[in-house]
Amino acid sequence: MAIGIKISLNEKLFLRDPQETALGQKIIKHSILLLDEIGFEAFNFKKLAKRMESTEASVYRYFENKHLLLIYLVSWYWEWVSYLIDYNTMNIEDPKRRLKIIIETFVYASKENPAIEYVNESVLHRLIIAEGSKAYHTKAVDKENTEGFFINYLKLSQKVSDEILEIKPDFPYPHALASNLFEMANNHIYFAQHLPKLTDVTVSDENYDEVEQMIEYFAFSLLECRRDK
Amino acid sequence: MAIGIKISLNEKLFLRDPQETALGQKIIKHSILLLDEIGFEAFNFKKLAKRMESTEASVYRYFENKHLLLIYLVSWYWEWVSYLIDYNTMNIEDPKRRLKIIIETFVYASKENPAIEYVNESVLHRLIIAEGSKAYHTKAVDKENTEGFFINYLKLSQKVSDEILEIKPDFPYPHALASNLFEMANNHIYFAQHLPKLTDVTVSDENYDEVEQMIEYFAFSLLECRRDK
DNA sequence: AATCTTTGATAGTATTGCTATTATAAGAAA
DNA sequence: TTTCTTATAATAGCAATACTATCAAAGATT
């Protein structure tokens, strides 16, 4: 049961707020499960409606189309990771320790936190890994960015960037490193599972420790590095 | 006119080899232009046929569907980048210099090399930046990987990985760094253009120098780093 | 009791993603 | 030259997709 967590998202992403009604919550729940199962391309509102025992027209009353639903879920995820970072780094003073926790959070987005009953965070994480980047790789990206559709990702990136500067105030690429850590975490879990020659780590089951170690290695090499010459 | 360059691609990607016929070459040429113009989601074979003044049925004789056409174009790009790397690093002994050239090639995939008349490499590069990762983010990735659909990416990654080990033989993550350099190059050009808060570099027109500098900074920090503690 | 809102049920339309058929043109083989 | 082969064009058609519209039933609110 979610106590005190309200995921706040851009209202332009939906026609009716799905968090507010039972049907809306069912849409969120089953769209995550079905998208994870069959992938974004094969997914449509008719199949979703059938799966959740409702009708296509009802789903269309909440979301304009599946692309906006995906952005909604991805935003939900970004906001959720933000929340987890705040929660997990609370009262931790050492900025390096804080960054390690951030990396752990990127890699294990959900570990032991069943916060909101209609979202299965670990399935959502798998979905983001596989489909997340499709949310902003479209022709409408500029228009949608203007309308704030990606604000949760930008805020997450900014938060991590701030932490990076705590560790090394003169680091020249804090935003790039922040987004790269996030993308790398997702990419290399995916690569390890599907295109293992593109990475050097292996994952088994839900154990992503090697990914976590690698991202730490990359991050701290960049931040604690004195260059030879 | 292409002299001595033959881009060799997995034959399972197409029904009839498009490089072999005039119509096939028209398909390659116009699919790159149209995909760049309207994006992968809005693209279909009917629009392509209209644009190139042929018919839908004719296009279907070359490619099963637009997904396989995308993999074909992406593979073409990966192979082209491989070729450019070989060409540009020929006779360069210093491995660090070689890696710099690789990074430059990733960022400026086409600069002054109009090699094959029916492929506009700079438009293709823009297309890969925007749509490339959709080639392997699908439910069929495992099956398609088994059939060798991504072999050109794996080979490219292996090539760069070998160069990384020339510089630092005990670097623990050469494949991951290789794929990350490639993905970073594409991502941060895209971010600079569309989601600038996710990066720290700016690009103007066709000038990606800041991206190149940043990727170099990341790569050589990792490879020439002695950690403080 | 009246009415307002949400959902379900059903229908319908334009577009998409193909497949099939036939005709024609162009080139190679006889 | 004739014939054979093959590629392409032209057209049709079909099942699925991506919606939109309408209306009725069921709660919930006043």
Side-chain angles (χ1 to χ4, degrees):
Chain A
M1 193 63 79
I3 300 161
I5 303 174
K6 165 71 184 177
I7 300 289
S8 93
L9 301 172
N10 190 327
E11 302 203 344
K12 292 181 201 153
L13 291 174
F14 47 78
L15 300 170
R16 193 192 308 279
D17 187 347
Q19 287 185 91
E20 298 279 296
T21 69
L23 185 66
Q25 294 179 3
K26 264 179 80 179
I27 291 173
I28 296 176
K29 175 177 179 175
H30 287 98
S31 62
I32 292 169
L33 298 174
L34 188 57
L35 276 164
D36 173 60
E37 236 177 273
I38 65 176
F40 186 68
E41 283 70 34
F43 174 93
N44 64 43
F45 282 1
K46 191 169 208 163
K47 289 176 188 170
L48 173 60
K50 190 175 179 187
R51 165 68 67 100
M52 56 187 272
E53 294 179 309
S54 175
T55 64
E56 209 182 348
S58 295
V59 178
Y60 273 105
R61 284 192 196 101
Y62 282 83
F63 291 100
E64 261 180 79
N65 53 51
K66 71 174 179 174
H67 174 236
L68 287 174
L69 171 57
L70 179 66
I71 298 182
Y72 180 90
L73 295 176
V74 167
S75 298
W76 207 101
Y77 180 77
W78 286 325
E79 194 58 18
W80 162 246
V81 169
S82 264
Y83 162 79
L84 278 185
I85 288 173
D86 288 345
Y87 184 87
N88 291 332
T89 59
M90 203 178 286
N91 301 321
I92 308 278
E93 292 298 323
D94 177 20
K96 291 182 184 173
R97 184 82 205 103
R98 292 169 69 87
L99 185 58
K100 282 186 184 174
I101 290 172
I102 288 172
I103 291 170
E104 194 201 339
T105 307
F106 282 169
V107 172
Y108 284 106
S110 62
K111 238 176 171 178
E112 58 281 297
N113 249 304
I116 295 188
E117 77 268 41
Y118 52 92
V119 173
N120 182 326
E121 283 85 5
S122 109
V123 176
L124 180 58
H125 186 203
R126 207 161 58 209
L127 174 62
I128 299 308
I129 288 171
E131 315 281 2
S133 68
K134 292 174 190 171
Y136 51 84
H137 279 111
T138 76
K139 277 288 157 185
V141 60
D142 294 328
K143 186 175 159 291
E144 292 178 347
N145 188 36
T146 305
E147 301 194 52
F149 285 14
F150 310 114
I151 191 77
N152 304 89
Y153 193 16
L154 309 183
K155 275 163 55 189
L156 175 57
S157 163
Q158 183 60 50
K159 182 197 296 280
V160 177
S161 175
D162 293 344
E163 297 285 350
I164 288 166
L165 291 179
E166 286 289 316
I167 296 173
K168 183 167 173 157
D170 63 336
F171 185 72
Y173 305 112
H175 295 88
L177 178 55
S179 58
N180 192 233
L181 292 178
F182 184 85
E183 302 270 330
M184 249 191 118
N186 289 339
N187 267 334
H188 286 268
I189 292 170
Y190 190 82
F191 289 161
Q193 291 171 330
H194 301 292
L195 300 163
K197 289 186 177 159
L198 295 181
T199 192
D200 305 279
V201 293
T202 56
V203 308
S204 55
D205 255 327
E206 303 280 290
N207 184 332
Y208 301 158
D209 288 355
E210 287 188 27
V211 179
E212 186 183 352
Q213 274 171 46
M214 179 174 75
I215 311 268
E216 269 191 26
Y217 180 95
F218 272 68
F220 287 98
S221 290
L222 285 160
L223 295 173
E224 295 179 335
C225 155
R226 265 177 307 134
R227 292 278 276 276
D228 303 334
K229 240 296 114 69
Chain B
M1 191 62 80
I3 302 162
I5 305 175
K6 165 70 184 176
I7 300 287
S8 93
L9 300 172
N10 189 328
E11 303 203 344
K12 292 181 201 153
L13 290 175
F14 47 78
L15 300 170
R16 193 192 308 281
D17 188 346
Q19 287 185 90
E20 299 278 296
T21 70
L23 186 66
Q25 295 179 3
K26 266 180 76 179
I27 290 173
I28 295 176
K29 176 177 179 175
H30 288 97
S31 63
I32 292 170
L33 297 174
L34 188 57
L35 276 165
D36 173 60
E37 237 176 272
I38 65 177
F40 185 68
E41 282 71 32
F43 175 92
N44 63 42
F45 282 180
K46 191 168 209 163
K47 289 177 189 169
L48 172 61
K50 189 175 179 185
R51 164 69 67 102
M52 56 186 273
E53 294 180 311
S54 175
T55 64
E56 206 182 349
S58 296
V59 178
Y60 273 105
R61 279 192 206 96
Y62 283 83
F63 292 99
E64 260 181 80
N65 53 52
K66 70 173 180 174
H67 174 236
L68 286 173
L69 171 57
L70 179 66
I71 298 182
Y72 181 91
L73 295 176
V74 167
S75 297
W76 207 100
Y77 180 77
W78 286 325
E79 194 59 17
W80 163 246
V81 168
S82 263
Y83 162 80
L84 279 185
I85 288 173
D86 288 345
Y87 184 87
N88 290 332
T89 59
M90 204 177 284
N91 302 321
I92 308 277
E93 293 297 324
D94 177 20
K96 291 182 184 174
R97 183 85 204 99
R98 293 169 69 87
L99 185 58
K100 282 186 185 175
I101 291 172
I102 288 172
I103 290 169
E104 194 200 339
T105 307
F106 282 169
V107 172
Y108 284 106
S110 63
K111 235 176 170 178
E112 57 281 298
N113 249 304
I116 295 187
E117 77 268 40
Y118 53 91
V119 172
N120 182 326
E121 284 85 5
S122 109
V123 177
L124 180 57
H125 186 202
R126 208 162 57 209
L127 174 62
I128 299 307
I129 287 170
E131 316 280 2
S133 69
K134 292 174 190 170
Y136 51 85
H137 278 112
T138 77
K139 277 289 157 185
V141 60
D142 295 327
K143 186 174 159 291
E144 291 178 347
N145 188 37
T146 305
E147 301 195 52
F149 286 14
F150 310 114
I151 190 77
N152 304 89
Y153 194 16
L154 309 183
K155 275 164 55 189
L156 174 58
S157 163
Q158 183 61 51
K159 184 197 296 281
V160 177
S161 174
D162 293 344
E163 296 286 351
I164 287 166
L165 292 178
E166 287 289 317
I167 297 174
K168 182 168 174 157
D170 64 337
F171 185 72
Y173 304 112
H175 296 89
L177 178 55
S179 59
N180 192 232
L181 291 178
F182 184 85
E183 302 271 330
M184 248 191 117
N186 289 339
N187 267 334
H188 287 268
I189 292 171
Y190 190 82
F191 289 161
Q193 290 170 332
H194 301 292
L195 300 163
K197 289 187 176 158
L198 295 180
T199 193
D200 305 278
V201 293
T202 55
V203 308
S204 55
D205 256 328
E206 303 280 289
N207 184 330
Y208 302 158
D209 287 355
E210 287 187 28
V211 179
E212 187 183 352
Q213 275 170 46
M214 179 174 75
I215 312 268
E216 270 191 25
Y217 180 95
F218 273 67
F220 287 99
S221 290
L222 285 159
L223 295 173
E224 295 179 335
C225 155
R226 265 178 307 133
R227 293 276 276 277
D228 302 334
K229 241 297 116 68

